[in-house]
C-alpha cells in the first residue's frame, strides 16, 4: 500500500512539473467555450469580470524563435481561458526564463600542450501572466470597449 502511494505521489509530481499553464480562480467560472471565441486584450476593457489569474509558458514546445514562443503561449492562454468560460484574456506580464543549456566541447593535445574549445547555448522559454476575463457587452449609448489586439493573436 505504501509503495502504491509513493508511486502515485511521484506520478503526480511529474505531471505537475510538466505543466505549461496554471490558474487561480478569483471569480465565477462559466460554461466552457471554444478557444477561438477568446479575445486577447493588452488594455482593460470597460466592462469585464475577472474569472482567474492564469499563466502559460512555452515550455515543452518545439518553439525556438520569440514569435513562435509567443504564439504557443497565446494558444495556451486561450485554451485555459476557454475552459473557464472566459471570453477574454487580459495580458499582464511576459518574462523570459532560462531553463537549461546545451553545451559541447572539444580538445586536442600533444607534447605537453592541450587546446580546448567549448560552446554553450541557453535553453530559454517565455512565461506570461494574464487574467481570464468575461467581457460583458455594452449598449450602443455607452462608451466603447477597449480595442482587442489587432494582429495575428486573435486569429484562430
Amino acid at each position: 500500500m505504501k509503495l502504491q502511494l509513493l508511486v502515485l505521489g511521484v506520478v503526480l509530481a511529474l505531471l505537475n512539473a510538466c505543466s505549461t499553464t496554471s490558474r487561480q480562480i478569483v471569480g465565477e467560472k462559466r460554461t466552457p467555450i471554444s478557444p477561438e471565441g477568446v479575445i486577447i486584450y493588452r488594455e482593460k476593457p470597460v466592462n469585464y469580470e475577472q474569472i482567474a489569474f492564469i499563466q502559460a509558458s512555452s515550455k515543452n514546445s518545439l518553439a525556438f524563435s520569440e514569435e513562435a514562443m509567443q504564439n504557443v503561449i497565446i494558444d495556451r492562454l486561450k485554451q485555459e481561458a476557454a475552459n473557464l468560460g472566459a471570453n477574454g484574456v487580459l495580458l499582464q506580464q511576459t518574462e523570459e526564463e532560462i531553463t537549461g543549456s546545451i553545451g559541447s566541447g572539444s580538445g586536442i593535445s600533444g607534447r605537453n600542450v592541450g587546446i580546448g574549445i567549448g560552446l554553450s547555448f541557453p535553453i530559454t522559454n517565455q512565461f506570461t501572466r494574464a487574467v481570464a476575463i468575461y467581457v460583458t457587452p455594452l449598449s450602443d449609448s455607452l462608451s466603447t470597449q477597449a480595442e482587442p489586439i489587432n494582429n495575428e493573436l486573435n486569429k484562430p
Side-chain angles (χ1 to χ4, degrees), residues 128-151:
T128 299
R129 291 180 179 86
V131 182
I133 59 176
Y134 183 79
V135 180
T136 54
L138 294 174
S139 67
D140 293 335
S141 62
L142 296 175
S143 62
T144 60
Q145 290 283 0
E147 289 295 317
I149 296 174
N150 187 16
N151 63 17

Side-chain angles (χ1 to χ4, degrees), residues 19-35:
S19 177
T20 55
T21 61
S22 66
R23 64 183 177 192
Q24 178 183 4
I25 306 294
V26 295
E28 185 178 330
K29 287 173 56 175
R30 297 173 178 269
T31 304
I33 65 170
S34 169

Side-chain angles (χ1 to χ4, degrees), residues 76-143:
R76 289 175 176 174
L77 288 171
K78 283 184 169 188
Q79 182 63 55
E80 187 70 27
N83 291 340
L84 297 167
N87 62 3
V89 170
L90 179 57
L91 299 177
Q92 301 289 301
Q93 180 179 9
T94 297
E95 300 173 6
E96 191 171 275
E97 57 186 0
I98 297 176
T99 57
S101 65
I102 297 174
S104 179
S106 180
I108 59 170
S109 66
R111 292 196 180 227
N112 301 333
V113 176
I115 298 173
I117 187 167
L119 297 171
S120 180
F121 300 98
I123 299 172
T124 60
N125 291 301
Q126 288 189 356
F127 178 78
T128 299
R129 291 180 179 86
V131 182
I133 59 176
Y134 183 79
V135 180
T136 54
L138 294 174
S139 67
D140 293 335
S141 62
L142 296 175
S143 62

